[in-house]
Amino acid sequence: MITTRKPVMSLYVDKGCLEHWIVRDREGRFWVVPSGENAWEKREPFHPSEDAELEPVPGHYMYMLGLPI
C-alpha cells in the first residue's frame, strides 16, 4: 500500500524585513505571520517578489511561535 503525505509547513524569514515570519502552508501558499500570541489567526497572504530573500528557519521555531504543524 502506498501512502501519500502532504508536505509539512515551512517557516522562513525574509532577509529584507525581519519584523515578521513567512510560513508556507501544506498547499504551498505563503503567509506573513507576525510575532506574538495567536500569530496564525493574524496571518495575511504573502506573494514573494523576485527580490525576496527567503531563508529557511529550523522547524522547532514553529512550536515556539505557536503555529499549527
Side-chain angles (χ1 to χ4, degrees):
M1 179 176 171
I2 296 175
T3 308
T4 59
R5 294 176 29 174
K6 288 187 175 186
V8 297
M9 295 176 68
S10 302
L11 183 62
Y12 300 89
V13 65
D14 184 352
K15 293 173 88 174
C17 181
L18 301 175
E19 297 177 7
H20 54 259
W21 301 92
I22 306 297
V23 176
R24 186 180 67 203
D25 67 16
R26 289 175 171 88
E27 285 77 32
R29 297 173 295 200
F30 287 94
W31 301 93
V32 173
V33 179
S35 296
E37 292 186 40
N38 301 318
W40 188 244
E41 285 81 27
K42 299 174 186 172
R43 70 187 184 273
E44 295 183 18
F46 177 74
H47 305 284
S49 63
E50 288 186 26
D51 61 335
E53 294 183 58
L54 298 182
E55 184 163 322
V57 176
H60 67 270
Y61 283 94
M62 304 230 348
Y63 292 106
M64 294 173 58
L65 295 169
L67 300 174
I69 304 295

